[in-house]
Amino acid sequence: MHDALKSSSGYHKELDNALKDDFLRRTLDTFAVAYRANREAVFKDVDERALIHKIAEAKDYACQHLEELYTQFKAEAEKRGVHVHRAATAAEANEIIIRIAKENNVKRVTKSKSMTAEEIELNPALEAQGITVDETDLGEWIIQLRHEGPSHMVMPAIHLSRYQVADDFTKATGEKQDSDIQRLVKVARVQLRRKFIAADMGISGCNFAVAENGAVSTVTNEGNARMVTTLPKVHVAIAGLDKLVASLDDALTALLVLPRNATAQRLTSYVTWMCGAGPCGANADNKKIMHVVFLDNGRTQIAKDPLFKQIFRCVRCGACANVCPVYRLVGGHKMGYIYIGAIGLILTYFFHGKDRARILSQNCMGCESCANVCAGGIDLPRLIREVRSRLNAEQGAPVEANLLSAVMKNRKLFHRLLKFASFAQKPFTRGEPFMRHLPMAFLGKQGFKALPAIAGKSFRDRWPDIAPKVEKPVMRVALFSGCAQDFIYPEELEAAVKILAAKNVAVEFPMEQSCCGLPLEMMGQRRTSMDVAKQNIAAFRGGNYDYIITLCASCAGHLKHHYPEILEKDYSTVEAQEFAAKVIDFSSFVHDVLGLKPEDFNNSGQKVTYHASCHLCRGLGVKKAPRELIADAAEYVPCEEEEVCCGFGGSYSVKFPEISAQLLENKLTHMKETGADRLVVDCPGCVMQLRGGAEKKGLKIKVDHIAELLAENLKK
């Protein structure tokens, strides 16, 4: 896996292999579904958002006062008999720990789970010195036997079946082991107990390092960490500098979220605080030899970065992987290097090489699931986009990305090319809404869905003929079309115009508008993304609109949230904020602003289900409006996993078609199970994905935009 991350072809081969692993798929599916329900249940008794805010504040404070807290921790810990070290690099951390081992004639080490130890590749470093290292966390021991890295930060062996574990235990013990889980646990206990007793040194991780009293903590479910930290004569705790917190109260606040996020528990079985070197019968003076090694490895530089300093808020709960639709399909060995999930894509850039980070950072579709559950409120999607942007700036962007960027920057050229494509496609569409007649050689891995035809006449070209004349408007709005609805699905915009005009809303369509720029941002083309943003803001300048309405959830999120971000150091910051403040998605406008109710519609009784577009339900937090509107105009039939990504993700479906296809397959399966006649969404990208998939499979279900459903059933 690690070598595969250095080449795109190798990485895609690894993804294909993971998708063919039926056990992995079943296991991660089961876990993902159960996790969401269980997490929701354990957060019912707490104010999740308030807690996350408090954690963010405490960790931000620690980041800003890093040197001060380190000095305080060192002084307090040394008062209590603890030796405190600071390592600038991974190599230096390993050297310090090896030196401690040699000074104490250590031959055998037991370890409890530590992602920091994984980061510095401590085990190989110790073993190279002739020191035996035994992992004692059950999952870590299993993957050690297999010579693998963890596939999850909290559950490192989640990717393995009990049959695989039984085979590994058979090899380790020299005795045939059956696959009964309880028996396997007993075997592990017997084997590990011997290792605890024989160990000369225990090495643990550290969940929190408390400056006010020099205490370190471990948070576990197995109790092995207590054996590691108490039985051997020497204990070394290894902690990243980001584990420093000012007070015990700060740590305890984080503990209210960490287990809930990690394993959907209110509290783990063992939370241990070690404040000073405690008693130890293995030493002549009955005193533990205790060391704490703090690892920098780039952390002080991260702390100085105005954007990436958010990383210090991470508590290593693994929730960003737990809710990630890509992780759910391929597992952690394909969604990280050492650290996995969304945070892993970011940390790889800082800790383990930009060659690995370039490939990994692309395997994020921007669904924003991770941002919604992060214990520290880290804007993970934004940081991943920033990694892509910095990699392009540092290493250069791919040729195809540069070409697309150049085209999209030039609005007139971009639109001329789309119009030309509309003409050039005719041999492949033959008047149909899909490109049914493309040679298979052209499709490649895109054959999992029917590709849409470009409209014969774009919305901007239709606008002069359909622009409504409203005599006494209640408000003035402008439409932001985005690329897909302007050139592929203009009928969606026409449906919206029909509704708005019927409710006495004056509608305008600024002709100078272009692509919102989100595809550019996702490709790491920051400079062009900024240029396009400025062009669009200029296109709506002077209109004095009450609202800027878009029928594309992705456009809405980008216009509203990302424009002020990417232009925050630019002259147009204030104007970007004013522009963003007027942006609203179609469903919210119709439901919340216009206040349409059941009496405004002729309820068709048609069974209609819904797919919640990622950037609407999570990016914008819009959940109630579209579902109530559907129920007003038809019979709303809820769909399983409505808020799970459909797999489109813009250019993601082109870069990672194997994953996109599987997410689409899952979504179509749930859609069929509803028995609905129709599926509606709030995003043309989702329409493209789901309609194309349904067409390819020959499903008798209509897929379109919610605006079309509402327009059809609007009372005259």
Side-chain angles (χ1 to χ4, degrees), residues 307 382 385-387 389 392 520-521 523-531 565-566:
L307 184 58
R382 183 182 182 185
R385 293 195 304 273
E386 183 66 21
V387 166
S389 176
N392 280 356
L520 294 164
E521 190 68 14
M523 290 188 293
Q525 298 281 3
R526 174 62 50 78
R527 177 49 56 188
T528 309
S529 169
M530 292 171 66
D531 289 341
E565 290 174 357
I566 64 178

Side-chain angles (χ1 to χ4, degrees), residues 367 372 553 610 612-623 627 642-644:
C367 73
N372 273 259
Y610 179 63
S613 302
C614 297
H615 296 141
L616 189 77
C617 68
R618 284 181 290 278
L620 297 172
V622 178
K623 296 175 181 278
R627 292 175 171 91
E642 271 186 358
E643 295 186 0
V644 175

Side-chain angles (χ1 to χ4, degrees), residues 91-106:
E92 188 178 343
N94 286 332
E95 288 170 6
I96 291 169
I97 296 169
I98 290 167
R99 185 173 68 247
I100 295 167
K102 288 181 176 180
E103 287 172 353
N104 292 279
N105 197 31
V106 170

